[in-house]
Amino acid sequence: MSKKLNVAVIGLGNMGRHHVRNYSEIEKVNLVAVCDANPQIAQEFAQKYNCQFYTNPDEMFQKEKIDAVTIAAPTVFHYEIAKKVIQQGLHVLIEKPIADTPAKADELIDLAKKQILILTVGHIERFNPAILKLKEIIKQNLLGKISTIKTRRLSPMPHQIKDANVMIDLAVHDIDICSYLLDKQPKQVYGTLEKTLLTDRADSANILLDYAGQSCFVEVNWITPLKIRTLCITGSKGYAELDYIKQEIYLYESNYTETKDQNNLQTIVFNPSEKKAIEVKKTEPLKSEILHFLNCIENKTTPIVTGKMARDALEIALKF
């Protein structure tokens, strides 16, 4: 890279603070500014990371020379802020979801395309090394024909989420990952939303994604007293278990023989299968995501997570 990119972060909540930390650790960028509606928080981060702080993005754009921006503000503000960022001619990484409606997402995608800008969305699990390894396993046909994927994303209610339900905050991750692993979009979507502990929005959901011959079951909630992030996948040649948090994969290869009885009925006899730990090189997914964003800007390449992919996941999540 001929010169360092000047970057800024808008929104210093649960994810924004980690974007700031990562940018500050990456040598090929200058973290020039942070922006948050809370002046105390903004000033605190500016002092810690030796950059300028603002409470208004418009003022930041006027006073700072910026090349790229992370938007980690609440979902309801994504469209408004991202539109301003793109109109300023700046590359943008928007924390998921891309916006609060598919129509707004479409507008942002079109604006970025016209401006020839990189727009990507923080579907961070795409950069989880365990998911990347599982994708390799699928491509190598070690699992055979995929039959089902089952994901569980469970935890207590996050206090910082004020403007989204469990579908937008959690399920959108797994919807995107299922489509990524299967390389296609679901034909039908079924599910239920429940208000178990909350009364104003759904805090529990069970979703079935029908990929025409392959099924994905997505369970998400904010009512479980511990954090669970797992994925299980069943294929004709084996079964794999993945833990997002531990970044671990265990593979069970199918070992069976086919026979037919005296009535010519087919029988499958399974033999014991050993649990095999798959080597995964552990990394911080967010840092990988940010480095990919910067590389896309440098090389003018298409991001792994395009605006269209994020928009499709959002549309499915909003069906309920």
Side-chain angles (χ1 to χ4, degrees), residues 215-237:
S215 300
C216 295
F217 302 90
V218 175
E219 179 187 3
V220 293
N221 73 46
W222 286 330
I223 65 175
T224 303
L226 68 159
K227 191 172 183 178
I228 298 172
R229 301 284 187 269
T230 60
L231 180 150
C232 301
I233 184 167
T234 302
S236 60
K237 292 184 177 181

PDB file of all heavy atoms in Angstrom, residues 215-237:
ATOM      1  N   SER A 215     -31.692 -29.281   4.355  1.00  0.00           N
ATOM      2  CA  SER A 215     -32.418 -28.498   5.359  1.00  0.00           C
ATOM      3  C   SER A 215     -31.463 -27.938   6.397  1.00  0.00           C
ATOM      4  O   SER A 215     -30.510 -28.613   6.802  1.00  0.00           O
ATOM      5  CB  SER A 215     -33.468 -29.368   6.058  1.00  0.00           C
ATOM      6  OG  SER A 215     -34.410 -29.865   5.128  1.00  0.00           O
ATOM      7  N   CYS A 216     -31.742 -26.722   6.832  1.00  0.00           N
ATOM      8  CA  CYS A 216     -30.970 -26.103   7.905  1.00  0.00           C
ATOM      9  C   CYS A 216     -31.927 -25.691   9.016  1.00  0.00           C
ATOM     10  O   CYS A 216     -32.948 -25.044   8.754  1.00  0.00           O
ATOM     11  CB  CYS A 216     -30.206 -24.884   7.401  1.00  0.00           C
ATOM     12  SG  CYS A 216     -28.938 -25.278   6.188  1.00  0.00           S
ATOM     13  N   PHE A 217     -31.592 -26.064  10.247  1.00  0.00           N
ATOM     14  CA  PHE A 217     -32.386 -25.732  11.413  1.00  0.00           C
ATOM     15  C   PHE A 217     -31.617 -24.715  12.249  1.00  0.00           C
ATOM     16  O   PHE A 217     -30.491 -24.977  12.673  1.00  0.00           O
ATOM     17  CB  PHE A 217     -32.675 -26.979  12.243  1.00  0.00           C
ATOM     18  CG  PHE A 217     -33.386 -28.062  11.489  1.00  0.00           C
ATOM     19  CD1 PHE A 217     -32.673 -29.040  10.801  1.00  0.00           C
ATOM     20  CD2 PHE A 217     -34.771 -28.105  11.439  1.00  0.00           C
ATOM     21  CE1 PHE A 217     -33.322 -30.037  10.096  1.00  0.00           C
ATOM     22  CE2 PHE A 217     -35.432 -29.092  10.738  1.00  0.00           C
ATOM     23  CZ  PHE A 217     -34.712 -30.058  10.061  1.00  0.00           C
ATOM     24  N   VAL A 218     -32.218 -23.573  12.471  1.00  0.00           N
ATOM     25  CA  VAL A 218     -31.559 -22.482  13.197  1.00  0.00           C
ATOM     26  C   VAL A 218     -32.315 -22.220  14.494  1.00  0.00           C
ATOM     27  O   VAL A 218     -33.500 -21.884  14.475  1.00  0.00           O
ATOM     28  CB  VAL A 218     -31.514 -21.201  12.346  1.00  0.00           C
ATOM     29  CG1 VAL A 218     -30.947 -20.032  13.151  1.00  0.00           C
ATOM     30  CG2 VAL A 218     -30.680 -21.425  11.081  1.00  0.00           C
ATOM     31  N   GLU A 219     -31.630 -22.387  15.621  1.00  0.00           N
ATOM     32  CA  GLU A 219     -32.208 -22.083  16.932  1.00  0.00           C
ATOM     33  C   GLU A 219     -31.453 -20.904  17.534  1.00  0.00           C
ATOM     34  O   GLU A 219     -30.225 -20.942  17.657  1.00  0.00           O
ATOM     35  CB  GLU A 219     -32.092 -23.293  17.869  1.00  0.00           C
ATOM     36  CG  GLU A 219     -32.655 -23.029  19.267  1.00  0.00           C
ATOM     37  CD  GLU A 219     -32.375 -24.168  20.240  1.00  0.00           C
ATOM     38  OE1 GLU A 219     -31.687 -25.142  19.862  1.00  0.00           O
ATOM     39  OE2 GLU A 219     -32.835 -24.064  21.398  1.00  0.00           O
ATOM     40  N   VAL A 220     -32.182 -19.843  17.865  1.00  0.00           N
ATOM     41  CA  VAL A 220     -31.561 -18.671  18.487  1.00  0.00           C
ATOM     42  C   VAL A 220     -32.417 -18.208  19.656  1.00  0.00           C
ATOM     43  O   VAL A 220     -33.641 -18.314  19.628  1.00  0.00           O
ATOM     44  CB  VAL A 220     -31.392 -17.495  17.483  1.00  0.00           C
ATOM     45  CG1 VAL A 220     -30.376 -17.848  16.411  1.00  0.00           C
ATOM     46  CG2 VAL A 220     -32.720 -17.101  16.851  1.00  0.00           C
ATOM     47  N   ASN A 221     -31.770 -17.696  20.699  1.00  0.00           N
ATOM     48  CA  ASN A 221     -32.538 -17.079  21.781  1.00  0.00           C
ATOM     49  C   ASN A 221     -31.664 -16.235  22.689  1.00  0.00           C
ATOM     50  O   ASN A 221     -30.427 -16.335  22.676  1.00  0.00           O
ATOM     51  CB  ASN A 221     -33.334 -18.129  22.581  1.00  0.00           C
ATOM     52  CG  ASN A 221     -32.476 -18.979  23.481  1.00  0.00           C
ATOM     53  OD1 ASN A 221     -31.617 -18.506  24.207  1.00  0.00           O
ATOM     54  ND2 ASN A 221     -32.737 -20.287  23.460  1.00  0.00           N
ATOM     55  N   TRP A 222     -32.340 -15.397  23.465  1.00  0.00           N
ATOM     56  CA  TRP A 222     -31.716 -14.588  24.512  1.00  0.00           C
ATOM     57  C   TRP A 222     -32.187 -15.065  25.893  1.00  0.00           C
ATOM     58  O   TRP A 222     -32.208 -14.297  26.839  1.00  0.00           O
ATOM     59  CB  TRP A 222     -32.126 -13.126  24.360  1.00  0.00           C
ATOM     60  CG  TRP A 222     -31.489 -12.385  23.240  1.00  0.00           C
ATOM     61  CD1 TRP A 222     -30.254 -12.590  22.703  1.00  0.00           C
ATOM     62  CD2 TRP A 222     -32.042 -11.274  22.530  1.00  0.00           C
ATOM     63  NE1 TRP A 222     -30.010 -11.684  21.709  1.00  0.00           N
ATOM     64  CE2 TRP A 222     -31.094 -10.863  21.578  1.00  0.00           C
ATOM     65  CE3 TRP A 222     -33.256 -10.585  22.610  1.00  0.00           C
ATOM     66  CZ2 TRP A 222     -31.308  -9.795  20.709  1.00  0.00           C
ATOM     67  CZ3 TRP A 222     -33.481  -9.526  21.752  1.00  0.00           C
ATOM     68  CH2 TRP A 222     -32.520  -9.135  20.806  1.00  0.00           C
ATOM     69  N   ILE A 223     -32.571 -16.305  26.005  1.00  0.00           N
ATOM     70  CA  ILE A 223     -33.155 -16.779  27.262  1.00  0.00           C
ATOM     71  C   ILE A 223     -32.333 -17.885  27.923  1.00  0.00           C
ATOM     72  O   ILE A 223     -32.698 -18.393  28.975  1.00  0.00           O
ATOM     73  CB  ILE A 223     -34.603 -17.282  27.047  1.00  0.00           C
ATOM     74  CG1 ILE A 223     -34.616 -18.516  26.134  1.00  0.00           C
ATOM     75  CG2 ILE A 223     -35.466 -16.179  26.452  1.00  0.00           C
ATOM     76  CD1 ILE A 223     -35.997 -19.136  25.988  1.00  0.00           C
ATOM     77  N   THR A 224     -31.216 -18.264  27.297  1.00  0.00           N
ATOM     78  CA  THR A 224     -30.364 -19.324  27.841  1.00  0.00           C
ATOM     79  C   THR A 224     -29.315 -18.707  28.769  1.00  0.00           C
ATOM     80  O   THR A 224     -28.672 -17.725  28.394  1.00  0.00           O
ATOM     81  CB  THR A 224     -29.669 -20.086  26.695  1.00  0.00           C
ATOM     82  OG1 THR A 224     -30.667 -20.606  25.820  1.00  0.00           O
ATOM     83  CG2 THR A 224     -28.834 -21.230  27.230  1.00  0.00           C
ATOM     84  N   PRO A 225     -29.118 -19.265  29.963  1.00  0.00           N
ATOM     85  CA  PRO A 225     -28.215 -18.645  30.935  1.00  0.00           C
ATOM     86  C   PRO A 225     -26.724 -18.816  30.635  1.00  0.00           C
ATOM     87  O   PRO A 225     -25.886 -18.393  31.428  1.00  0.00           O
ATOM     88  CB  PRO A 225     -28.590 -19.339  32.250  1.00  0.00           C
ATOM     89  CG  PRO A 225     -29.139 -20.647  31.838  1.00  0.00           C
ATOM     90  CD  PRO A 225     -29.843 -20.415  30.535  1.00  0.00           C
ATOM     91  N   LEU A 226     -26.385 -19.431  29.513  1.00  0.00           N
ATOM     92  CA  LEU A 226     -24.990 -19.521  29.111  1.00  0.00           C
ATOM     93  C   LEU A 226     -24.894 -19.283  27.604  1.00  0.00           C
ATOM     94  O   LEU A 226     -25.891 -19.389  26.887  1.00  0.00           O
ATOM     95  CB  LEU A 226     -24.382 -20.873  29.470  1.00  0.00           C
ATOM     96  CG  LEU A 226     -24.886 -22.110  28.727  1.00  0.00           C
ATOM     97  CD1 LEU A 226     -23.853 -23.229  28.838  1.00  0.00           C
ATOM     98  CD2 LEU A 226     -26.218 -22.583  29.307  1.00  0.00           C
ATOM     99  N   LYS A 227     -23.692 -18.942  27.149  1.00  0.00           N
ATOM    100  CA  LYS A 227     -23.488 -18.620  25.740  1.00  0.00           C
ATOM    101  C   LYS A 227     -23.115 -19.876  24.965  1.00  0.00           C
ATOM    102  O   LYS A 227     -22.119 -20.534  25.280  1.00  0.00           O
ATOM    103  CB  LYS A 227     -22.385 -17.569  25.607  1.00  0.00           C
ATOM    104  CG  LYS A 227     -22.251 -16.959  24.223  1.00  0.00           C
ATOM    105  CD  LYS A 227     -21.263 -15.802  24.249  1.00  0.00           C
ATOM    106  CE  LYS A 227     -21.165 -15.117  22.899  1.00  0.00           C
ATOM    107  NZ  LYS A 227     -20.224 -13.957  22.935  1.00  0.00           N
ATOM    108  N   ILE A 228     -23.907 -20.196  23.949  1.00  0.00           N
ATOM    109  CA  ILE A 228     -23.678 -21.368  23.110  1.00  0.00           C
ATOM    110  C   ILE A 228     -23.638 -20.919  21.659  1.00  0.00           C
ATOM    111  O   ILE A 228     -24.535 -20.212  21.187  1.00  0.00           O
ATOM    112  CB  ILE A 228     -24.793 -22.421  23.297  1.00  0.00           C
ATOM    113  CG1 ILE A 228     -24.812 -22.926  24.740  1.00  0.00           C
ATOM    114  CG2 ILE A 228     -24.614 -23.583  22.318  1.00  0.00           C
ATOM    115  CD1 ILE A 228     -26.001 -23.807  25.059  1.00  0.00           C
ATOM    116  N   ARG A 229     -22.602 -21.337  20.938  1.00  0.00           N
ATOM    117  CA  ARG A 229     -22.451 -21.006  19.520  1.00  0.00           C
ATOM    118  C   ARG A 229     -21.940 -22.261  18.814  1.00  0.00           C
ATOM    119  O   ARG A 229     -20.740 -22.496  18.727  1.00  0.00           O
ATOM    120  CB  ARG A 229     -21.457 -19.857  19.324  1.00  0.00           C
ATOM    121  CG  ARG A 229     -21.820 -18.547  20.031  1.00  0.00           C
ATOM    122  CD  ARG A 229     -22.932 -17.828  19.273  1.00  0.00           C
ATOM    123  NE  ARG A 229     -23.198 -16.500  19.803  1.00  0.00           N
ATOM    124  CZ  ARG A 229     -24.071 -16.220  20.746  1.00  0.00           C
ATOM    125  NH1 ARG A 229     -24.747 -17.205  21.320  1.00  0.00           N
ATOM    126  NH2 ARG A 229     -24.298 -14.975  21.129  1.00  0.00           N
ATOM    127  N   THR A 230     -22.848 -23.086  18.309  1.00  0.00           N
ATOM    128  CA  THR A 230     -22.443 -24.348  17.713  1.00  0.00           C
ATOM    129  C   THR A 230     -23.122 -24.582  16.369  1.00  0.00           C
ATOM    130  O   THR A 230     -24.167 -23.995  16.065  1.00  0.00           O
ATOM    131  CB  THR A 230     -22.777 -25.533  18.640  1.00  0.00           C
ATOM    132  OG1 THR A 230     -24.195 -25.568  18.879  1.00  0.00           O
ATOM    133  CG2 THR A 230     -22.027 -25.431  19.957  1.00  0.00           C
ATOM    134  N   LEU A 231     -22.508 -25.475  15.595  1.00  0.00           N
ATOM    135  CA  LEU A 231     -23.071 -25.884  14.306  1.00  0.00           C
ATOM    136  C   LEU A 231     -22.746 -27.360  14.112  1.00  0.00           C
ATOM    137  O   LEU A 231     -21.612 -27.792  14.342  1.00  0.00           O
ATOM    138  CB  LEU A 231     -22.466 -25.049  13.176  1.00  0.00           C
ATOM    139  CG  LEU A 231     -22.942 -25.329  11.745  1.00  0.00           C
ATOM    140  CD1 LEU A 231     -22.877 -24.047  10.900  1.00  0.00           C
ATOM    141  CD2 LEU A 231     -22.115 -26.422  11.060  1.00  0.00           C
ATOM    142  N   CYS A 232     -23.752 -28.127  13.700  1.00  0.00           N
ATOM    143  CA  CYS A 232     -23.569 -29.543  13.395  1.00  0.00           C
ATOM    144  C   CYS A 232     -24.015 -29.777  11.954  1.00  0.00           C
ATOM    145  O   CYS A 232     -25.023 -29.220  11.509  1.00  0.00           O
ATOM    146  CB  CYS A 232     -24.400 -30.424  14.331  1.00  0.00           C
ATOM    147  SG  CYS A 232     -23.996 -30.208  16.078  1.00  0.00           S
ATOM    148  N   ILE A 233     -23.275 -30.603  11.245  1.00  0.00           N
ATOM    149  CA  ILE A 233     -23.583 -30.833   9.832  1.00  0.00           C
ATOM    150  C   ILE A 233     -23.510 -32.329   9.529  1.00  0.00           C
ATOM    151  O   ILE A 233     -22.556 -33.003   9.919  1.00  0.00           O
ATOM    152  CB  ILE A 233     -22.632 -29.996   8.942  1.00  0.00           C
ATOM    153  CG1 ILE A 233     -22.976 -30.138   7.465  1.00  0.00           C
ATOM    154  CG2 ILE A 233     -21.179 -30.325   9.207  1.00  0.00           C
ATOM    155  CD1 ILE A 233     -22.283 -29.091   6.604  1.00  0.00           C
ATOM    156  N   THR A 234     -24.540 -32.838   8.877  1.00  0.00           N
ATOM    157  CA  THR A 234     -24.634 -34.256   8.552  1.00  0.00           C
ATOM    158  C   THR A 234     -24.574 -34.459   7.047  1.00  0.00           C
ATOM    159  O   THR A 234     -25.283 -33.789   6.292  1.00  0.00           O
ATOM    160  CB  THR A 234     -25.955 -34.844   9.074  1.00  0.00           C
ATOM    161  OG1 THR A 234     -26.034 -34.644  10.485  1.00  0.00           O
ATOM    162  CG2 THR A 234     -26.032 -36.339   8.776  1.00  0.00           C
ATOM    163  N   GLY A 235     -23.702 -35.369   6.629  1.00  0.00           N
ATOM    164  CA  GLY A 235     -23.584 -35.693   5.215  1.00  0.00           C
ATOM    165  C   GLY A 235     -23.589 -37.187   4.995  1.00  0.00           C
ATOM    166  O   GLY A 235     -23.600 -37.980   5.947  1.00  0.00           O
ATOM    167  N   SER A 236     -23.570 -37.595   3.745  1.00  0.00           N
ATOM    168  CA  SER A 236     -23.622 -39.021   3.417  1.00  0.00           C
ATOM    169  C   SER A 236     -22.343 -39.761   3.803  1.00  0.00           C
ATOM    170  O   SER A 236     -22.339 -40.986   3.934  1.00  0.00           O
ATOM    171  CB  SER A 236     -23.886 -39.198   1.922  1.00  0.00           C
ATOM    172  OG  SER A 236     -22.846 -38.591   1.157  1.00  0.00           O
ATOM    173  N   LYS A 237     -21.242 -39.018   3.996  1.00  0.00           N
ATOM    174  CA  LYS A 237     -19.967 -39.650   4.350  1.00  0.00           C
ATOM    175  C   LYS A 237     -19.530 -39.385   5.789  1.00  0.00           C
ATOM    176  O   LYS A 237     -18.528 -39.942   6.237  1.00  0.00           O
ATOM    177  CB  LYS A 237     -18.861 -39.163   3.411  1.00  0.00           C
ATOM    178  CG  LYS A 237     -18.991 -39.620   1.981  1.00  0.00           C
ATOM    179  CD  LYS A 237     -17.790 -39.146   1.174  1.00  0.00           C
ATOM    180  CE  LYS A 237     -17.853 -39.641  -0.266  1.00  0.00           C
ATOM    181  NZ  LYS A 237     -16.655 -39.194  -1.034  1.00  0.00           N
TER     182      LYS A 237
END
